[in-house]
Amino acid sequence: MSTHDELTASLRIPTLNNCRALVLSADAEFRDRIVALLAQEGFRARGASEPLEVLDAARDGRCPLVLVDTRLGGAGLAGLCAELRAPGLPRYVYTLALCEPGDAGAVVVALRAGADDGLGRDAPAAELAARLEAARRIASLEHALRAAWEANRRLATQDALTGAYNRRYLARELPRELERARRYERALAVLACDLDHFKHVNDRHGHAAGDRLLGTFVAEARSGLRGGVDWIARAGGDEFVIVLPETDAEGARAVAERFHRRLASLAPVHEDTTLALRASFGVAAVEARDHFEGLTADRLLERADAALYRAKELGRGRVAHVPVRVPAGAGAASPGGPGSG
């Protein structure tokens, strides 16, 4: 088995058989002929007469292979390739330039314009088929490599058990959230929370039951947060931090109270045993402009942590709030999560 096949198999990504392809040409007869040849080689091919059709397909991730008739002009090919190589596209688009027959330098021009490969428009069908097969292998490998990169990126920022962001992400992103709030003079709130009597659940019902509670907690938290705005990170063990941009103390407390009531209504089941899911919440928020002076992400977490311990001292299963006050001469620090400082 080849390295490519091993990687593809290990990621459970099928080889891109019957993959999509576009043929860009203003010549309808030539376009239809190439589309037919692609179909014979197992591609789901269609024609396009405008570069915009290619770009739309690329932005949707629907087309890993494009054949471009260079009669659209060198500047047009270069512009199209520049768009196809721009960051942010969901996948790499392999570009095969179909160049002027008999022009030895046309392929060089196409490659310098950004194409991956090129050949004359009068090339034998067998040669075009062979190049298409090479393009399919490369597109498949690129797809597998990008999937592996994405998986590694998720592992670097997400908690494997719950799917929440991890402590590393919290340490990196909370200071950025605070800086944005400071720059645009917006409120920012943090909830420190952990599960009540979680050790008792692990000791009595086993760690699988504890894992079930952690996963349920994160799933319920996400269902009540604003997508793409709020986020939750696992700081460690049964401790979590929920970050609420553009949310003041009153709003954050309302979010925590709503979440607390929702948890109280749940009864997760593990191996025929009904488990109680209860949590305590500490709220810290910054909203007044003068409160930002000297405030660090570490300090904000520290105040949320203090509020969390107040909630526990009051009997657990509740929400408490501690105002954010910045001591004189406070220095910069990086966040360490609940219990730090």
Side-chain angles (χ1 to χ4, degrees), residues 51-66 79-95 114 116 142-143 146-147 149-150:
L52 185 58
E53 296 178 66
V54 174
L55 295 175
D56 285 344
R59 289 168 185 148
D60 290 343
R62 292 183 282 113
C63 185
L65 174 62
V66 173
L80 176 63
C81 287
E83 292 280 356
L84 294 177
R85 302 294 174 256
L89 291 182
R91 69 183 309 156
Y92 189 83
V93 178
Y94 189 96
T95 306
D116 294 285
E142 185 280 331
H143 185 54
R146 185 169 293 206
W149 179 88
E150 179 62 25

Side-chain angles (χ1 to χ4, degrees), residues 35 42 77 95 97 109 117 146 173 176 190 226 263 291 304 311:
V35 166
L77 176 63
T95 306
V109 171
D117 195 7
R146 185 169 293 206
E173 293 300 322
R176 294 177 181 177
V190 167
R226 297 168 294 177
L263 292 178
H291 287 171

Side-chain angles (χ1 to χ4, degrees), residues 112-124:
R112 286 179 173 169
D116 294 285
D117 195 7
L119 76 165
R121 285 190 296 275
D122 62 346

Side-chain angles (χ1 to χ4, degrees), residues 118-201:
L119 76 165
R121 285 190 296 275
D122 62 346
E127 182 180 359
L128 178 56
R131 290 178 186 267
L132 290 173
E133 183 56 38
R136 188 186 346 238
R137 290 196 303 269
I138 292 170
S140 178
L141 178 58
E142 185 280 331
H143 185 54
L145 291 174
R146 185 169 293 206
W149 179 88
E150 179 62 25
N152 286 334
R153 186 193 65 80
R154 287 196 300 270
L155 288 174
T157 60
Q158 290 186 342
D159 173 57
L161 174 63
T162 65
Y165 289 116
N166 60 19
R167 192 183 186 101
R168 178 185 300 176
Y169 185 91
L170 175 65
R172 186 185 73 197
E173 293 300 322
L174 184 57
R176 294 177 181 177
E177 293 282 9
L178 183 59
E179 179 55 34
R180 277 192 289 269
R182 178 185 291 114
R183 182 183 307 123
Y184 298 111
E185 299 181 14
R186 303 291 178 85
L188 175 65
V190 167
L191 307 180
C193 38
D194 71 10
L195 277 61
D196 295 331
H197 308 296
F198 182 70
K199 185 178 184 301
H200 173 74
V201 173

